[in-house]
Amino acid sequence: MNESSEKRTHFIRQLITDDLATGKHQNMITRFPPEPNGYLHIGHAKSICLNFGLAEEFSGRCYLRFDDTNPIKEEDEYVQSIIEDVRWLGFTWCDMTHSSDYYQALYDFAVMLIEKNLAYVDSLSIDEIRAYRGTLQEPGRESPYRNRPADENLDLFSRMKAGEFPDGMHVLRARIDMQSGNINMRDPVLYRIRHVAHQRTGNDWCIYPMYDYAHPLSDALEKITHSLCTLEFQDHRPLYDWLIENLPVPAKPIQTEFARLNLSHTITSKRKLRELVEKNVVTGWDDPRLPTISGMRKRGYPPAAIRQFCEVIGISRSDSVIDMSIFEACVRDVLNTTAKRALCVLDPLKVVIENYPENQVEEFSASFNPQDPEAGSRLLPFSREIFIERSDFMEDPPKKYFRLSPGTEVRLRHAYVIRCTDVIRDAQGDVIEVRCTYDPDTLGKNPPDRKVKGVIHWVSAAHAYPVTIYQYDRLFHDANPAREEDFLQFLNHDSLQVQQALCEPSLATQPLDETFQFERLGYYRVNKVENGQVAAFHRVVDMKDTWGKVS
């Protein structure tokens, strides 16, 4: 898998291809319209890659438009995080806009709807409006205020704008069809009163448009050709089209829906993500275990891997849950070409090489990345006493066990072949040390008279550098925690474990956020640097999928 591979055909890509080929559009224009009421997550990344990616592919344009129509929930903190996320993913916008840029135009359009008898001011309470709307099984009932004269509606709407009425006293509704089978068409609310300062417009406005009203008209004002939305907006499309058809807008965009990204073993609901943050289940919106873009950035997932993942899973019209292992495979695929290699032992077992000179130290040159000659190399010190992973030794191994066991040989990565001759136990009978011999003629070459299958990693005991390791794992042990309202019951309480490890000395002076492949273990990122010395790493992703064995 790689980003340069041929683009996968999907129905939106084909739609744009056909529209440009037939001359329906001379140029394609998309937009990414997040509401700044939280941090973006992997689901938004799919939409970002789709909208900006298609604009790049077809030499079109893509707007970054903030849907800032609800000042109660929106903050500049979220605006800045969204800007950073889009840039980090590698995209630029043709223009940055806001729904609030069009407040006057949206107000003027609302006046036109009132004048055409297509909108009215309703004085029912929100609860009453909900009750009048009916259900999927029962048609709605008309509001007693539905037939107010246009002049009275215009007067009330103007006074709403002027701030004469308290929150909730009136709303502006479209006059469509209270008998419609689509509840969204049963006289939807277009404007509500909110005496709240807006992050951009301050107190200039005290009435704010609903998303379903602002969205299509903002699209039209920006002359969007392909308004790409997730499937939950499919039932809203008739209202989108109704507004476009009934107002003198400068363009007639078409809304097309695609399936949102649902990723296994995680949550992408903003409400539920906020609950995780507010209940201190995680350390913040950028916790590396969260699927937020800021969390993935902190975890060390490369933006190229996220773009590759969004291309690999494709675009469809059917909702599904994508297994986390597919995403992690994309992360490994990118990191395999970019990450430097290093040796680190997470659970050390001491090995004494009895026939190696006691005071001798050798230094072996090892490439930082065999796939990247420009990555350079480092020196690995080697001595009589080393540490290996405890899991790389077994006294009574099963068949096809190619690591170290009594009487068997194994190759030390970048070094010699060693043979186990004895084990040392403590008072409880646990193995605390392994005695071995080495073959001095096997440095950089295989023994001519026998085959050694296993290769294990190690660090020199005298030169090992101690570090703290934060082992991040999946936040939920269930593949679909979102299926239950009480999603916290599926928490993986082992999603963060802290342990001490020993690594090669070259890792002592690495920069913050540098990512390494700890050979045979996984990909790890420098997590903390103190006084110029690396103090901790955290796991980005395992070397291979381990969840598939237990799921």
Side-chain angles (χ1 to χ4, degrees):
M1 295 180 290
N2 58 73
E3 275 198 289
S4 62
S5 60
E6 184 177 349
K7 298 290 185 180
R8 295 181 59 180
T9 299
H10 53 70
F11 71 97
I12 294 179
R13 182 171 277 130
Q14 190 60 53
L15 171 66
I16 295 173
T17 299
D18 294 343
D19 286 348
L20 295 175
T22 60
K24 180 177 180 179
H25 299 295
Q26 298 303 309
N27 192 15
M28 61 86 68
I29 307 174
T30 60
R31 82 289 172 271
F32 173 62
E35 181 180 2
N37 65 346
Y39 284 72
L40 301 185
H41 53 64
I42 185 67
H44 296 106
K46 177 180 178 179
S47 183
I48 291 170
C49 291
L50 179 66
N51 282 284
F52 284 96
L54 289 173
E56 286 184 358
E57 181 180 341
F58 289 95
S59 300
R61 291 181 287 157
C62 183
Y63 286 86
L64 173 58
R65 182 174 76 227
F66 290 97
D67 168 39
D68 55 349
T69 57
N70 187 358
I72 293 177
K73 295 183 177 181
E74 297 158 7
E75 298 178 18
D76 186 63
E77 172 190 351
Y78 301 135
V79 171
Q80 299 308 316
S81 73
I82 290 169
I83 292 172
E84 182 179 6
D85 288 345
V86 175
R87 283 176 172 160
W88 178 73
L89 282 172
F91 298 108
T92 55
W93 42 87
C94 66
D95 196 6
M96 184 189 301
T97 60
H98 306 75
S99 295
S100 56
D101 295 338
Y102 311 120
Y103 275 0
Q104 185 61 52
L106 296 177
Y107 177 83
D108 294 341
F109 282 138
V111 170
M112 293 179 195
L113 290 175
I114 296 172
E115 291 173 340
K116 295 172 70 173
N117 208 30
L118 293 176
Y120 62 97
V121 173
D122 194 355
S123 302
L124 292 177
S125 69
I126 294 300
D127 289 339
E128 290 172 327
I129 290 174
R130 188 177 296 113
Y132 272 63
R133 186 170 287 140
T135 66
L136 291 173
Q137 292 74 36
E138 299 178 355
R141 293 176 290 147
E142 292 187 359
S143 165
Y145 304 100
R146 193 174 195 267
N147 294 313
R148 273 176 165 157
D151 287 347
E152 183 178 345
N153 286 317
L154 287 170
D155 176 64
L156 286 170
F157 190 51
S158 174
R159 292 164 64 191
M160 286 169 61
K161 177 179 179 291
E164 292 188 23
F165 306 115
D167 291 5
M169 186 169 182
H170 303 294
V171 296
L172 182 71
R173 298 178 68 179
R175 183 185 281 106
I176 306 179
D177 181 8
M178 292 302 294
Q179 305 295 308
S180 174
N182 185 337
I183 292 181
N184 296 295
M185 297 298 283
R186 296 179 188 176
D187 291 9
V189 174
L190 306 181
Y191 269 89
R192 76 286 208 201
I193 302 170
R194 289 281 190 274
H195 287 278
V196 178
H198 188 279
Q199 53 154 330
R200 294 188 70 246
T201 61
N203 294 306
D204 292 350
W205 294 85
C206 62
I207 57 171
Y208 293 97
M210 302 297 289
Y211 175 82
D212 280 351
Y213 176 73
H215 170 220
L217 299 181
S218 297
D219 280 352
L221 290 169
E222 292 174 354
K223 299 182 180 179
I224 303 300
T225 58
H226 299 84
S227 181
L228 309 179
C229 302
T230 46
L231 281 176
E232 61 262 37
F233 293 100
Q234 183 171 324
D235 289 342
H236 299 246
R237 193 196 323 149
L239 176 57
Y240 184 105
D241 295 340
W242 184 88
L243 288 163
I244 295 298
E245 291 301 322
N246 283 287
L247 287 167
V249 290
K252 294 185 180 297
I254 300 296
Q255 177 176 302
T256 303
E257 303 86 18
F258 61 94
R260 62 176 293 166
L261 172 55
N262 299 301
L263 192 63
S264 74
H265 298 92
T266 193
I267 292 288
T268 54
S269 159
K270 276 187 181 180
R271 176 177 62 83
K272 292 178 178 179
L273 288 171
R274 183 175 287 107
E275 185 175 345
L276 289 171
V277 173
E278 293 177 350
K279 289 186 175 180
N280 297 317
V281 176
V282 294
T283 57
W285 286 98
D286 64 347
D287 188 293
R289 293 166 292 177
L290 289 183
T292 56
I293 297 178
S294 57
M296 292 188 291
R297 180 165 59 247
K298 191 172 182 179
R299 179 75 173 256
Y301 295 152
I306 298 172
R307 296 193 301 268
Q308 177 176 305
F309 172 65
C310 291
E311 185 64 32
V312 165
I313 62 174
I315 301 295
S316 72
R317 291 188 174 93
S318 300
D319 277 327
S320 61
V321 178
I322 306 299
D323 196 278
M324 176 71 81
S325 63
I326 299 175
F327 176 54
E328 290 174 340
C330 293
V331 173
R332 293 187 196 97
D333 191 51
V334 173
L335 289 179
N336 185 50
T337 63
T338 60
K340 294 180 178 180
R341 274 47 170 176
L343 301 182
C344 183
V345 175
L346 299 179
D347 186 12
L349 174 64
K350 189 175 183 180
V351 172
V352 177
I353 306 172
E354 295 181 299
N355 62 334
Y356 193 89
E358 286 196 30
N359 297 319
Q360 179 171 307
V361 176
E362 294 180 85
E363 289 186 320
F364 306 137
S365 178
S367 170
F368 267 125
N369 189 336
Q371 299 192 42
D372 181 9
E374 296 184 2
S377 61
R378 80 280 193 195
L379 294 177
L380 294 174
F382 183 81
S383 58
R384 187 172 187 265
E385 296 183 356
I386 63 173
F387 288 110
I388 66 170
E389 292 288 349
R390 190 169 297 274
S391 60
D392 282 337
F393 174 80
M394 190 175 292
E395 280 195 274
D396 186 19
K399 291 183 178 180
K400 297 185 179 180
Y401 181 83
F402 299 125
R403 285 168 280 176
L404 195 61
S405 60
T408 66
E409 289 184 310
V410 71
R411 174 173 290 282
L412 298 174
R413 178 75 168 137
H414 305 297
Y416 299 101
V417 170
I418 60 173
R419 178 186 295 272
C420 176
T421 58
D422 197 8
V423 297
I424 307 299
R425 297 178 176 84
D426 62 14
Q428 288 73 41
D430 296 325
V431 175
I432 58 172
E433 184 178 300
V434 175
R435 298 293 176 91
C436 293
T437 59
Y438 86 113
D439 185 341
D441 294 326
T442 56
L443 181 61
K445 59 184 178 180
N446 292 318
D449 55 345
R450 60 199 187 275
K451 188 173 184 180
V452 179
K453 293 184 177 180
V455 179
I456 64 174
H457 61 281
W458 54 276
V459 293
S460 168
H463 305 87
Y465 181 74
V467 291
T468 298
I469 302 288
Y470 296 96
Q471 299 283 22
Y472 289 118
D473 208 338
R474 300 182 187 182
L475 191 56
F476 295 92
H477 59 70
D478 190 88
N480 188 17
R483 72 178 188 275
E484 298 287 347
E485 184 61 28
D486 180 20
F487 67 101
L488 294 178
Q489 66 180 297
F490 302 118
L491 275 174
N492 173 17
H493 295 287
D494 294 325
S495 63
L496 172 58
Q497 296 188 20
V498 183
Q499 67 183 100
Q500 302 304 308
L502 298 171
C503 61
E504 64 176 80
S506 70
L507 295 185
T509 56
Q510 298 294 331
L512 187 67
D513 297 336
E514 184 75 34
T515 301
F516 289 85
Q517 181 194 103
F518 287 174
E519 297 196 44
R520 303 178 63 240
L521 298 177
Y523 294 92
Y524 288 77
R525 196 179 206 202
V526 177
N527 180 281
K528 187 185 301 182
V529 175
E530 297 176 346
N531 300 319
Q533 298 286 301
V534 172
F537 287 86
H538 70 249
R539 178 167 58 196
V540 179
V541 65
D542 280 322
M543 189 64 73
K544 58 184 178 180
D545 179 28
T546 57
W547 277 74
K549 301 175 183 178
V550 296
S551 297

